[in-house]
Amino acid sequence: MPASRVKTQAVEVSVDIAARPATVWRCLVEADLLSRWLRATATLEPRVGGAVRFDFPGLAGEHYVIEGVVEELRANQALVFTWGVSVGPQHENIPVGSTRVRIRLAETAAGTRVTLRHEDLPDEKERQAHATGWTALMGALSGLAPAVAISGGLEALWDAWFAAWGETDTAKREALLKRCFAEDGGFRDVHIAGHGRAW
C-alpha cells in the first residue's frame, strides 16, 4: 500500500436483532452459520491471530476471496478482524490487511443491537459499495439469528404450529400454541393476517 494513501473512509451499519447476544455470536464465529448470512464459504478461527477467509463465488458477478486475521475476540461482545481482497478485481485497491471490520454486540430488551464498522476503505466509491453490501448482509444476519435461536430450527417450529392446529381439544391446542407462538406474535399468509395468539 502506498505510504501516501490517507485512510479516512468508513462504513457503519447497526441493526437490532430479536436474538440474545450468545446466539448472534454463534452466527459470527461458527463457519456454517457465518457462511449462511455472508452468502459465502466462510471460515474464521475464533482466536486472536486466527485466520479469516471468505470466498464469494459470485459477488457482483465476480469471484472474490477476502482474507484477514482476528485482532480482537470477546465472546458475545466484540469481534475485530482485518479485511482485504486476495482474489478479485479489488486486490490492488484493497489488499490483504489494509482495512478493518469491527463488530460490537450490545444486549437490548428485545435482543441484541449489532454495530458493524468497516474502517480504512480507500475512497468514497469503495465506501458506498461496502455500505450497500454490509447493509444487505446485516439484514441477512438479522433474519438468520432468530431462526438459530429456535430449538430444533424452523422446521421444528412449523411442525409444532401445524400440530397445534390439528389438535381438536381447545385446551390442548392452546398449550401447544404457547410452546411455538408468542402471545404478541403475528401471522400473515395469502389468505389471512392476524396479531396475537388469540386470533
Side-chain angles (χ1 to χ4, degrees):
M1 176 172 44
S4 61
R5 175 185 285 176
V6 177
K7 300 186 292 184
T8 59
Q9 303 297 324
V11 168
E12 187 166 297
V13 180
S14 292
V15 64
D16 290 318
I17 298 178
R20 298 177 57 83
T23 301
V24 177
W25 184 255
R26 289 183 55 205
C27 295
L28 300 179
V29 298
E30 294 182 16
D32 59 331
L33 298 176
L34 184 60
S35 295
R36 284 170 63 186
W37 69 269
L38 282 178
R39 301 173 185 137
T41 301
T43 56
L44 184 148
E45 295 178 39
R47 61 177 179 82
V48 173
V52 175
R53 188 175 196 275
F54 308 141
D55 189 332
F56 295 93
L59 183 64
E62 301 281 355
H63 179 210
Y64 282 87
V65 176
I66 306 300
E67 293 188 75
V69 175
V70 175
E71 293 187 332
E72 181 182 347
L73 188 85
R74 286 184 286 131
N76 308 330
Q77 296 178 41
L79 173 64
V80 179
F81 54 89
T82 59
W83 170 288
V85 180
S86 62
V87 174
Q90 297 167 321
H91 73 277
E92 291 183 8
N93 201 27
I94 306 177
V96 173
S98 64
T99 74
R100 182 167 284 100
V101 176
R102 300 178 185 277
I103 304 174
R104 306 282 182 214
L105 308 184
E107 188 166 9
T108 66
T112 306
R113 170 157 277 226
V114 180
T115 302
L116 181 146
R117 183 175 172 83
H118 193 159
E119 302 172 341
D120 302 332
L121 293 164
D123 53 45
E124 178 61 17
K125 179 181 176 184
E126 292 296 350
R127 190 198 70 75
Q128 288 181 10
H130 283 78
T132 299
W134 282 122
T135 298
L137 292 174
M138 292 287 276
L141 174 61
S142 69
L144 174 64
V148 169
I150 297 168
S151 178
L154 284 176
E155 292 80 10
L157 178 64
W158 281 115
D159 289 346
W161 168 260
F162 286 114
W165 285 110
E167 176 57 60
T168 57
D169 181 277
T170 304
K172 289 181 181 178
R173 182 173 56 248
E174 181 64 20
L176 289 170
L177 284 171
K178 283 182 180 179
R179 293 180 6 209
C180 67
F181 195 83
E183 181 64 37
D184 62 348
F187 178 83
R188 178 186 312 218
D189 68 13
V190 296
H191 304 291
I192 193 169
H195 186 77
R197 194 183 303 133
W199 65 267

